[in-house]
């Protein structure tokens, strides 16, 4: 199989995993899983379970995760540090 046979699957996956909650696809019977919500829940978990101050949290991203980490930083999430690995780098 080639990536050409799965382009629609990839585009659909990206559409269902926006950074913020995407109101434009609500009501289309599509499960939307915003990345920002995962990041916020991780900060909450680390704070509640281990007493970690959110200003002391770093992030690691690989491939698509590099996009998510950089987008998070651009949207005001202040990671202590970030490391990204991507085949194109």
């Amino acid at each position: 199989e080639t990536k050409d046979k799965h382009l629609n699957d990839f585009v659909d996956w990206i559409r269902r995993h926006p950074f913020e909650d995407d109101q434009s696809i609500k009501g289309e019977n599509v499960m939307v899983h915003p990345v920002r919500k995962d990041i916020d829940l991780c900060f909450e978990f680390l704070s509640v379970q281990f007493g970690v101050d959110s200003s002391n949290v770093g992030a690691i991203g690989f491939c698509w995760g590099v996009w998510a980490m950089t987008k998070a930083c651009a949207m005001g999430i202040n990671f202590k540090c970030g490391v990204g690995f991507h085949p194109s780098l």
Side-chain angles (χ1 to χ4, degrees), residues 21-67:
D21 197 8
D22 188 349
Q23 299 296 321
S24 68
I25 61 176
K26 293 281 186 191
E28 293 183 28
N29 202 22
V30 174
M31 186 174 176
V32 178
H33 191 92
V35 175
R36 172 86 188 227
K37 185 176 181 179
D38 280 346
I39 295 170
D40 291 340
L41 289 172
C42 286
F43 278 120
E44 181 182 333
F45 175 80
L46 290 170
S47 175
V48 171
Q49 294 296 317
F50 303 104
V52 174
D53 182 339
S54 65
S55 66
N56 287 319
V57 175
I60 298 173
F62 178 78
C63 201
W64 184 84
V66 175
W67 170 84

